[in-house]
Amino acid sequence: EGEVRMDMVNENGADKRYWYFGPNTLLGEPALFLQRPSILYGVCTKPTTVRVFSREVLFERIIPHHRELALALFHEMAVKMRLLINQVAVLGMDHTAARVCKYLRTNLSRDASGGLYSVPGITQHELAKLLGMHRVTCGRVLKDLKEKGIIGEYSAARVDIHDEDALCGVESAAKGAKRKG
């Protein structure tokens, strides 16, 4: 239950946001397999219930008798590998506007009237940290998207998407500009 934000801090004290995990998520599995402390640390961002299992209990009592838990463990690891690969690619290859547009597109929904919106679930400051950019840069990108009529006002709860094609176009144009540059 709840939500856990995973962060990493380097030796200089700079932190990097990794991701937010919600209910029914497995955390800490790399440390289980590698038998080393995790380089990430978790912060509960909402009231959270966490169940902790030792390596021995997990491998000797739970997995042998609950195949579905083993499959869930592999699934969670695959999701996190994909997430990490995507973050490396985004940070290394995408322009800041492309990063913001891509994040907004990953959280799209339609309301009862058919209006398209995104539910970021995080503040602008948290979005900037997650996407590896300064908060001012992130704010500038969001302001530009709003001024162009592509999105509405940014809120962690909801961002109306006024022009989905333009949102995708900004992402594509930003990638193209980076390739040319």
Side-chain angles (χ1 to χ4, degrees):
E1 296 176 9
E3 181 181 79
V4 176
R5 183 186 78 219
M6 299 301 288
D7 291 348
M8 184 175 95
V9 176
N10 70 11
E11 62 278 354
N12 298 325
D15 64 330
K16 166 72 177 100
R17 189 92 352 114
Y18 178 64
W19 202 249
Y20 292 79
F21 296 99
N24 302 315
T25 304
L26 299 171
L27 299 172
E29 61 278 10
L32 276 175
F33 286 100
L34 298 173
Q35 295 183 325
R36 293 184 186 162
S38 177
I39 60 172
L40 299 173
Y41 68 93
V43 176
C44 296
T45 56
K46 295 179 180 174
T48 303
T49 299
V50 177
R51 291 174 180 79
V52 179
F53 302 100
S54 70
R55 177 181 169 83
E56 293 74 27
V57 168
L58 186 66
F59 289 125
E60 294 171 16
R61 292 193 216 161
I62 297 175
I63 290 178
H65 304 291
H66 300 280
R67 181 176 180 263
E68 72 280 3
L69 291 177
L71 293 174
L73 177 65
F74 292 134
H75 178 265
E76 285 292 326
M77 289 176 63
V79 166
K80 290 172 188 163
M81 283 176 44
R82 185 174 185 182
L83 175 65
L84 182 60
I85 289 166
N86 184 56
Q87 279 195 358
V88 169
V90 164
L91 290 173
M93 300 169 69
D94 286 353
H95 186 272
T96 54
R99 292 184 218 171
V100 171
C101 291
K102 185 180 283 186
Y103 184 82
L104 291 174
R105 284 191 318 103
T106 63
N107 299 290
L108 291 177
S109 295
R110 289 211 181 267
D111 58 25
S113 66
L116 189 64
Y117 66 97
S118 180
V119 181
I122 55 178
T123 66
Q124 282 188 38
H125 186 231
E126 291 167 323
L127 178 64
K129 288 181 85 93
L130 181 68
L131 299 178
M133 63 181 74
H134 194 277
R135 64 177 176 74
V136 173
T137 303
C138 184
R140 197 174 307 129
V141 169
L142 290 166
K143 180 181 176 193
D144 185 52
L145 292 171
K146 183 179 177 208
E147 287 175 352
K148 290 179 178 175
I150 298 171
I151 66 170
E153 192 68 38
Y154 184 93
S155 143
R158 179 181 173 129
V159 178
D160 289 319
I161 308 298
H162 300 302
D163 190 339
E164 183 178 11
D165 291 338
L167 186 72
C168 294
V170 168
E171 187 178 338
S172 297
K175 287 180 181 179
K178 182 140 186 171
R179 275 190 221 108
K180 290 177 187 173

